[in-house]
Amino acid sequence: MRSPIDVEKAHHYDRCRESVDSDDYPSPPSIDEAKQSLTENTASAPPPPPPPYSAFSINRRRFILGVVTAAGFFGPLCGAVYLPSLKLFQHVFKTSETAVNGTVSIYQLVFAIAPLFGAAASDVGGRKTVYIVGFGSFLIANTLLALLPAHIVLLYFLRIFQAFGSCIVFSVGAGTVADITEPARRASALAWFLMGPQLGPILGPLIGGQFATESRWRWVFGILSLTSLPVYLGILLSMPETLRSLVGNGAAVAHQPCISIPKFRTKPCIDSKVSKAPRPSFRKFMHLLKYPPHLIVSINGALQFAGLYGMYISFPTIWQDGYNWTTAEVGYAFLCPGIAMFITSIFVGRFSDYMRKKAIANSSDGKIAPERRIAMQIPAFVVAGAGKIMFGWFTQNRVHPAAGLFSAAVASAGVSVVFVTSISYQTECDPAQKASLVALGGCLRNIAAAICAAIMVSCFRGLGWGWAFTGLGILDLLCIPGIILIMVRGVKFREALKREQQLNK
């Protein structure tokens, strides 16, 4: 017979066994049950956030924007700073007026054509290599012009490299801005970038006029060399590669040191799914014009810029002959349209991004068509045309100079609106060829400007200032139907472009 202690131990053992066998301690789940539980938890978890459009920090993006803006400033500046010395160079280089004017023509010709090849190469091989080679040739050409003996053959030869090195930076710079700036803020960034090309023709005559003497003419090129050197060093040592078909959003290069050894070739760091531009060729480049919006926007910009350039080159004749102004006073007159373009670019860029953001918030799917960017071009063409017409008649009738300067500012403001919105629109329509599209527009604009410069004197003599600028204003108004066509059929045009791109892959 067991003792009471043994009986109590037996009861305690039974209670522990019942507790272990109860539901308080369930058996381990099976493999199928574990998989089902994992699937349910994964489905209920929120999706990971998408990667940022650009992995570069805000300060790094500002640095890149500042460098490309400064680089884009030198092309137009180099062309404008040269003009006050044309008469002087006839004596310095011991040649004729026709020969000296030929150096201006060859600069404009190279300035129009070279970006086609530089921009196409940057869309395939990378931005930084084109910057290093192009801007380096600009720096070397100006240094040699400031140091070598005065000879007209050297002037022609080095002017070619001046134009080549400075002009491709503008088209490639616009591609860089689009690489690092999401579409929601792209117009604002491009507005700042366009400050360089817009201020160059305004400040050039002011700077060049200070050195238009026989003892100081070399400083026309020396100043360009000295001021471009820090910009080139910034590109060489601190500028990262931004081409999205090579580095994506920049995550692979965003954390590189601020100063690093330059590389002339960047190996692709992303997969092959990212859209790439076609290999550069003249046929493929001209193929861009088969897309109606590119053709319309490029031709419109060329016609409008021709009128603006015609107004700029007429300033010395109008203000000196018509109002008896001095050369210095004419130089100060350029500030009026320049300041107007500066203010308008900043305002339009921010306003365009604000309207885009507002439209996205009101849309059902969070997407909007790029054509909304260029809707404001319709009033801009009206404003630009009206400004040019007023400028012609006010100056022909010798109205107070303030009226002519105000009209020039109005025309420049309208042109600025078209510049900012056109580049924003084109970079959103065809993101794989951003730099090539900007180069195409620049080529047509410079060709139109060269033609306008060649015929403006004859137009003034045959028609007078009033009717000559009326014709240029009418060209602005003729651009409006093309903008309406893009707004109405833009969606179908883009769908056709996507189908064509899919077939060519």
Side-chain angles (χ1 to χ4, degrees):
M1 184 174 180
R2 293 185 298 177
S3 65
I5 295 177
D6 293 335
V7 173
E8 181 62 27
K9 288 182 179 181
H11 287 309
H12 177 71
Y13 172 79
D14 291 338
R15 287 194 301 269
C16 290
R17 187 177 59 185
E18 291 173 359
S19 176
V20 171
D21 293 338
S22 67
D23 293 335
D24 293 338
Y25 296 90
S27 59
S30 64
I31 295 179
D32 293 337
E33 291 174 344
K35 288 182 178 180
Q36 182 179 1
S37 176
L38 180 61
T39 303
E40 292 175 354
N41 292 335
T42 303
S44 61
Y53 183 86
S54 176
F56 296 106
S57 66
I58 182 65
N59 290 331
R60 195 72 180 274
R61 294 200 299 270
R62 287 173 178 171
F63 170 79
I64 295 172
L65 178 60
V67 169
V68 298
T69 300
F73 170 69
F74 283 98
L77 176 67
C78 183
V81 77
Y82 185 80
L83 298 179
S85 302
L86 291 179
K87 292 289 185 183
L88 173 67
F89 285 165
Q90 297 176 35
H91 174 70
V92 171
F93 290 90
K94 297 180 176 58
T95 188
S96 64
E97 180 180 3
T98 302
V100 173
N101 288 342
T103 63
V104 178
S105 300
I106 197 169
Y107 185 90
Q108 290 288 347
L109 180 63
V110 177
F111 203 90
I113 297 176
L116 305 183
F117 305 99
S122 77
D123 278 335
V124 175
R127 314 290 191 202
K128 185 166 183 175
T129 302
V130 177
Y131 281 129
I132 293 175
V133 175
F135 208 60
S137 67
F138 175 80
L139 175 62
I140 294 172
N142 282 292
T143 303
L144 294 177
L145 283 170
L147 298 176
L148 293 178
H151 196 285
I152 189 63
V153 175
L154 284 175
L155 181 61
Y156 267 87
F157 180 73
L158 294 175
R159 285 287 284 177
I160 292 175
F161 284 93
Q162 270 188 324
F164 168 78
S166 60
C167 66
I168 63 176
V169 173
F170 171 68
S171 55
V172 178
T176 300
V177 174
D179 289 339
I180 64 174
T181 310
E182 63 270 22
R185 299 181 179 180
R186 188 168 295 168
S188 298
L190 286 171
W192 284 105
F193 168 72
L194 290 174
M195 289 300 97
Q198 289 174 356
L199 290 178
I202 306 304
L203 299 180
L206 295 178
I207 299 173
Q210 306 302 314
F211 305 105
T213 63
E214 190 169 351
S215 61
R216 305 175 66 188
W217 67 269
R218 290 184 181 275
W219 280 104
V220 171
F221 308 109
I223 289 296
L224 292 174
S225 178
L226 292 175
T227 53
S228 62
L229 178 60
V231 179
Y232 184 71
L233 292 177
I235 293 173
L236 186 68
L237 302 176
S238 301
M239 185 84 166
E241 180 58 64
T242 63
L243 182 63
R244 298 185 72 85
S245 62
L246 289 181
V247 300
N249 69 346
V253 296
H255 301 292
Q256 290 180 349
C258 295
I259 298 177
S260 58
I261 299 175
K263 295 181 180 179
F264 285 89
R265 181 175 177 79
T266 301
K267 296 181 179 180
C269 349
I270 56 174
D271 58 39
S272 59
K273 296 181 180 179
V274 178
S275 60
K276 297 178 176 60
R279 287 288 176 182
S281 69
F282 184 79
R283 181 182 63 83
K284 290 182 178 180
F285 196 89
M286 289 297 103
H287 185 73
L288 293 173
L289 290 177
K290 292 184 178 181
Y291 181 54
H294 293 335
L295 177 64
I296 293 171
V297 170
S298 298
I299 291 179
N300 284 359
L303 294 177
Q304 194 182 51
F305 185 74
L308 180 68
Y309 196 78
M311 186 173 65
Y312 282 167
I313 63 175
S314 70
F315 262 36
T317 301
I318 288 176
W319 298 120
Q320 288 181 339
D321 296 347
Y323 291 85
N324 297 320
W325 283 15
T326 65
T327 303
E329 289 172 335
V330 173
Y332 292 128
F334 280 92
L335 292 176
C336 194
I339 293 173
M341 293 189 77
F342 180 86
I343 296 174
T344 304
S345 291
I346 300 302
F347 172 78
V348 170
R350 293 183 178 275
F351 181 74
S352 178
D353 286 341
Y354 167 76
M355 294 300 295
R356 186 182 187 278
K357 181 178 180 181
K358 185 177 179 181
I360 290 177
N362 295 332
S363 65
S364 58
D365 57 356
K367 299 179 180 180
I368 63 169
E371 288 76 26
R372 294 184 66 96
R373 288 280 195 191
I374 60 172
M376 65 176 68
Q377 287 193 6
I378 295 177
F381 279 116
V382 174
V383 169
K388 293 170 186 174
I389 294 172
M390 289 190 298
F391 177 79
W393 290 108
F394 285 161
T395 53
Q396 177 169 311
N397 294 312
R398 306 297 192 274
V399 181
H400 192 278
L405 293 174
F406 172 77
S407 302
V410 170
S412 300
V415 172
S416 184
V417 173
V418 174
F419 277 5
V420 173
T421 53
S422 291
I423 295 178
S424 301
Y425 167 69
Q426 286 187 292
T427 56
E428 290 183 36
C429 273
D430 198 353
Q433 303 184 80
K434 297 183 284 288
S436 297
L437 290 169
V438 176
L440 176 63
C443 175
L444 296 180
R445 282 197 303 272
N446 283 285
I447 291 175
I451 294 173
C452 184
I455 66 174
M456 280 304 291
V457 175
S458 300
C459 291
F460 287 156
R461 293 173 180 173
L463 301 174
W465 298 341
W467 284 113
F469 281 101
T470 298
L472 294 176
I474 290 175
L475 289 180
D476 284 344
L477 300 180
L478 293 177
C479 295
I480 296 177
I483 300 301
I484 296 175
L485 177 63
I486 293 177
M487 295 175 62
V488 173
R489 297 185 58 83
V491 175
K492 294 184 178 180
F493 286 145
R494 281 187 288 108
E495 291 176 350
L497 178 65
K498 290 180 180 179
R499 287 196 298 268
E500 182 179 358
Q501 290 175 341
Q502 291 293 334
L503 292 175
N504 292 333
K505 285 185 178 181

